[in-house]
Amino acid sequence: MGDTRTDIESLLVENRRFPPPPGFAATAQVKSEEEAERLRTSADADPERFWREQAAALKWSKPFTQVLDTGNHPFVRWFADGELNLTESCLDRHLSTWRRNKAALIWEGEPGDSRVLTYHELHREVCRVANALLELGVHTGDRVVIYMPMIPELVMSLLACARIGATHSVIFGGFSAEAIRDRVTDAGATFIITADGGWRRGKVIPLKQNVDEALVHCPDVRKVLCVRRIGQEGAPVTMKAGRDLWWSDVVPWQSPCLKAVALPAEHPLFILYTSGTTGKPKGVVHSTGGYGVQVAYTTKVVFDLKDEDTYFCTADVGWVTGHSYLVYGPLMNGATSVMYEGAPETPQRDRLWNLIDRWGVTIFYTAPTAIRAFMRWGNEWPEKHSLSTLRLLGTVGEPINPAAWMWYREVIGKSRCPIVDTWWQTETGGIMVAPLPGATAAKPGSCTKPLPGFSVEVVQRDGKPAAANEGGYLVITKPWPGQLRTVWGDPDRYVKNYFSEIQIDGRPVYFTGDGARRDPEGYLWVMGRVDDVLNVAGHRIGTAEVESALVSHPDVAEAAVVGRPDELKGQAIVAFVTLRGGKEGTPEQAKALLFHVVKEIGAIARPEEIRFTDSLPKTRSGKIMRRLLREIAASGQVTGDVTTLEDFSVLQRLSATPGDE
Ligand code: WTA
């Protein structure tokens, strides 16, 4: 009964529209839906002209003559004969303006320490780090792995790499030593920047220790630069002579000046590993020029960024959102970006609201999973604070349920702030679908329409357009500047993964892996992944990755991993496991397997539940029937068609298995 009511309520909310508040529209970058529609139509008619105009926002050392080169589709090149260094757009350009002494970064550590860096100061620090990298033998084109807490040195490290043309690859601090080893090896990285540890819920994450463990198997890494964030007592660290260096021994003595290297626009700015449908994460490669252009443009129009804004993105720089909308996008726009190191409930559940009031945050960008946690913690926490400086809210990472959208609007935005629900992916580099906050009427749960310049469609399996409200596959039909250029070291996988599923008129188009529908007004409703990728608390996790971690345990014969709907995290991981040699599935055994997954991948991939079974449901051709497992994980029973199932008795035994933890 209760559930039915919630469904009806959410249906009612879903059909509500929230036009931009009149005062907001008056000063917005894009002021009306008519203006937005004009921009869309004109960008559509001549995308190259549109992107050439957007590219003017960046500082180029050598102007480009060609906007887009599709000669080798699906491998594309943007602005290919132009040269630039993105750090000049992020830093140098502001130094000759009044922004020189404007705060570029406002940082707050979990224990309450803070640091504010102006553009001038950040520039000097970045040059020092870049000089240190050069002195330690890092060259243009080398890969540098960054495994750090959310501290200013992280931002400096990204930009220092970009300054000398080293390709950075950030690994999220929640990944384990094994995951670091795999990524360092795949990227062929020779240099690592890390810290002794980072704060999270009052505890220390032992980052350097994880790096040390990983590097036992990575002989090619020559140097490790380590920031002292915690101190020897809280995070004991062993420094390997000849390989490891303290940041404080190397960086402060460097010159604060360094001319940026001019790089071809297609030079790889970074590699970011993300989960796909196989056991091995993909190294998504992003360019310098195209990525920069898309991120600068979308930051400005989606967040309606003004010079007076104080902008706060809660994403970790270990994910693409942190790259694009905490570091590069805000800095290219000369904005003030707020960065917070720790957990939102430390020391209390109002940490973020407290932070917003203290720094006067005007734009706040977070994830639906966080919003659902805030809702659950109760209104008393935000209500302790005025939140009166906020003027715009954003979300990213997964579909937002209408109830959470309404709560965000009313309790955080005081029904005054537009919400931008932004759809994009690691592979798209930047936002593709989102409202223009001064123009687009929002509908709770919809990311609304593609931004001007992007061609995002919903099609059927055969590439024909889906009818209004008909579910289909979300595809991108034209190249875009922030498009991933390849999968690092595996161009075939790039083609196979993204350009082999769906064709329109015989031409392969980019398939996002998401299912969606478009309503009669052209609004997009993303329904989630249709491939074997889970979205757990906004983090992408491949079922195959967790499965391969499980089967690497000596006791496991076979494993199948599926997602189960979860109120807080969106999806929770459920693993069905068959043990070797008739071993018994005890709670201790389940614990050992959970520990093993955490060790192999990291805590973010820890299954919520392990269910032991003596066999898995398979088709006669031997394929695991995941659909059945999903149903069993969600509701304990199976309702759909099971005619292809090989052994019916499996089902009965599976449904009867109690959840072990
Ligand atoms: C999902 C994060 C609905 C989607 C930037 C996509 C969303 C995947 C939204 C990419 C949104 C992201 N509404 N779903 N606003 N934003 N997604 O690579 O399934 O970590 O394919 O990039 O998250 O996740 P990724």
Side-chain angles (χ1 to χ4, degrees):
M1 192 55 200
D3 279 347
T4 319
R5 256 197 57 179
T6 327
D7 285 351
I8 293 170
E9 272 167 17
S10 73
L11 211 76
L12 289 174
V13 171
E14 237 178 53
N15 289 321
R16 288 177 67 179
R17 304 170 106 253
F18 294 91
F24 191 99
T27 63
Q29 306 279 358
V30 181
K31 296 182 173 56
S32 67
E33 191 51 29
E34 293 72 54
E35 189 185 341
E37 215 38 64
R38 264 201 312 278
L39 282 170
R40 281 192 195 99
T41 316
S42 102
D44 232 27
D46 191 350
E48 295 196 24
R49 184 195 43 77
F50 179 82
W51 288 114
R52 182 181 303 118
E53 283 167 17
Q54 305 313 320
L58 266 54
K59 185 171 181 328
W60 295 84
S61 354
K62 178 176 165 241
F64 54 87
T65 57
Q66 187 187 21
V67 176
L68 172 63
D69 170 10
T70 54
N72 190 22
H73 194 271
F75 297 92
V76 296
R77 306 193 317 152
W78 285 84
F79 317 114
D81 62 348
E83 288 182 1
L84 75 168
N85 187 296
L86 223 47
T87 67
E88 291 204 295
S89 293
C90 290
L91 302 169
D92 304 57
R93 203 167 35 136
H94 308 305
L95 300 188
S96 53
T97 72
W98 67 270
R99 288 189 186 126
R100 180 183 181 84
N101 293 318
K102 175 180 177 175
L105 195 66
I106 294 179
W107 171 80
E108 194 168 294
E110 193 182 80
D113 44 344
S114 65
R115 187 171 175 191
V116 179
L117 285 137
T118 64
Y119 274 94
H120 176 58
E121 288 170 317
L122 185 59
H123 179 263
R124 286 169 65 89
E125 293 305 321
V126 167
C127 289
R128 282 202 170 98
V129 183
N131 277 320
L133 296 182
L134 288 175
E135 184 182 295
L136 295 170
V138 180
H139 300 285
T140 303
D142 287 352
R143 272 80 59 210
V144 173
V145 155
I146 299 178
Y147 182 67
M148 289 173 89
M150 288 278 285
I151 54 178
E153 289 83 352
L154 169 57
V155 177
M156 294 169 198
S157 299
L158 260 68
L159 295 170
C161 287
R163 189 118 184 131
I164 63 170
T167 299
H168 58 72
S169 186
V170 183
I171 301 177
F172 173 59
F175 281 116
S176 68
E178 316 286 322
I180 302 172
R181 181 198 63 197
D182 292 348
R183 287 158 172 77
V184 166
T185 309
D186 188 85
T190 49
F191 197 97
I192 297 189
I193 311 179
T194 187
D196 55 353
W199 291 106
R200 188 87 194 163
R201 292 191 190 88
K203 292 210 184 81
V204 174
I205 314 231
L207 299 170
K208 175 64 165 59
Q209 253 179 45
N210 291 347
V211 168
D212 289 343
E213 269 177 51
L215 292 197
V216 172
H217 310 282
C218 304
D220 293 340
V221 172
R222 293 193 308 264
K223 295 273 183 248
V224 177
L225 187 60
C226 184
V227 178
R228 202 193 298 271
R229 164 71 184 131
I230 308 289
Q232 191 65 18
E233 228 168 82
V237 161
T238 5
M239 298 295 272
K240 186 169 165 185
R243 187 195 71 184
D244 301 352
L245 298 141
W246 287 110
W247 177 288
S248 53
D249 288 340
V250 182
V251 175
W253 322 114
Q254 302 291 329
S255 155
C257 303
L258 175 70
K259 194 171 161 10
V261 185
L263 299 161
E266 283 296 312
H267 183 78
L269 177 68
F270 67 87
I271 304 171
L272 191 57
Y273 284 85
T274 189
S275 295
T277 48
T278 70
K280 197 169 158 263
K282 303 182 284 247
V284 167
V285 178
H286 280 292
S287 71
T288 302
Y291 171 83
V293 169
Q294 176 169 344
V295 169
Y297 155 70
T298 51
T299 308
K300 181 166 147 203
V301 298
V302 175
F303 299 107
D304 188 45
L305 211 52
K306 307 263 173 36
D307 256 317
E308 301 75 29
D309 278 313
T310 302
Y311 164 94
F312 180 19
C313 166
T314 67
D316 194 289
V317 175
W319 308 110
V320 73
T321 307
H323 282 62
S324 301
Y325 298 107
L326 194 157
V327 182
Y328 288 109
L331 296 178
M332 279 190 284
N333 280 283
T336 297
S337 187
V338 175
M339 176 179 191
Y340 168 57
E341 175 187 31
E345 66 270 45
T346 307
Q348 292 200 98
R349 289 173 164 181
D350 62 346
R351 180 61 184 264
L352 299 184
W353 320 131
N354 177 303
L355 219 139
I356 287 173
D357 269 11
R358 256 180 315 105
W359 296 108
V361 171
T362 58
I363 301 172
F364 180 66
Y365 190 31
T366 195
T369 186
I371 297 169
R372 289 192 298 267
F374 305 149
M375 272 175 88
R376 186 175 280 191
W377 293 344
N379 293 5
E380 68 263 34
W381 299 102
E383 278 166 6
K384 281 184 209 285
H385 304 272
S386 91
L387 306 181
S388 59
T389 49
L390 287 174
R391 67 178 195 92
L392 177 69
L393 304 173
T395 79
V396 61
E398 55 181 309
I400 181 163
N401 48 310
W405 196 98
M406 286 305 295
W407 183 89
Y408 197 27
R409 178 182 154 83
E410 286 165 7
V411 181
I412 305 304
K414 314 286 181 205
S415 305
R416 178 188 73 228
C417 307
I419 297 179
V420 289
D421 176 350
T422 63
W423 179 91
W424 59 295
Q425 310 180 295
T426 304
E427 292 87 342
T428 69
I431 299 173
M432 303 291 284
V433 184
L436 289 161
T440 319
K443 297 185 191 183
S446 165
C447 50
T448 75
K449 297 180 180 178
L451 294 171
F454 303 114
S455 302
V456 184
E457 317 270 350
V458 182
V459 298
Q460 300 167 342
R461 191 75 187 76
D462 61 4
K464 302 240 162 58
N469 278 336
E470 181 191 1
Y473 299 86
L474 193 69
V475 296
I476 305 173
T477 57
K478 285 186 195 153
W480 67 102
Q483 178 173 340
L484 81 159
R485 295 302 194 258
T486 187
V487 171
W488 181 259
D490 199 350
D492 292 345
R493 195 167 170 203
Y494 165 76
V495 179
K496 191 162 172 294
N497 221 287
Y498 303 105
F499 292 93
S500 66
E501 288 286 320
I502 294 177
Q503 306 200 336
I504 296 181
D505 300 330
R507 213 180 129 263
V509 292
Y510 175 91
F511 175 44
T512 62
D514 280 351
R517 70 181 164 88
R518 201 194 277 267
D519 74 15
E521 281 183 295
Y523 279 54
L524 289 166
W525 299 78
V526 174
M527 290 159 350
R529 307 287 305 195
V530 295
D531 52 11
D532 290 323
V533 173
L534 305 181
N535 193 328
V536 181
H539 298 154
R540 262 170 79 166
I541 296 170
T543 52
E545 241 175 291
V546 185
E547 285 163 6
S548 82
L550 282 166
V551 297
S552 73
H553 189 281
D555 291 345
V556 175
E558 205 172 25
V561 166
V562 297
R564 170 179 74 198
D566 183 272
E567 215 183 297
L568 204 60
K569 300 184 193 165
Q571 278 187 306
I573 303 174
V574 178
F576 292 85
V577 173
T578 312
L579 294 174
R580 277 182 203 278
K583 271 209 170 163
E584 222 189 309
T586 59
E588 287 69 42
Q589 181 76 52
K591 259 196 208 120
L593 295 186
L594 292 177
F595 182 79
H596 183 71
V597 173
V598 172
K599 186 173 150 288
E600 288 292 307
I601 308 177
I604 54 165
R606 187 181 196 275
E608 190 79 10
E609 192 185 330
I610 292 203
R611 295 177 74 138
F612 292 107
T613 165
D614 55 5
S615 53
L616 292 166
K618 292 193 183 144
T619 62
R620 276 168 220 130
S621 59
K623 274 186 85 173
I624 294 175
M625 295 182 77
R626 291 167 181 287
R627 179 180 58 78
L628 300 187
L629 293 176
R630 274 195 289 271
E631 285 191 37
I632 291 165
S635 64
Q637 53 193 330
V638 173
T639 49
D641 179 22
V642 291
T643 45
T644 49
L645 183 66
E646 186 202 33
D647 172 8
F648 284 95
S649 63
V650 174
L651 262 194
Q652 201 136 34
R653 293 198 301 276
L654 265 178
S655 316
T657 313
D660 268 318
E661 257 260 56

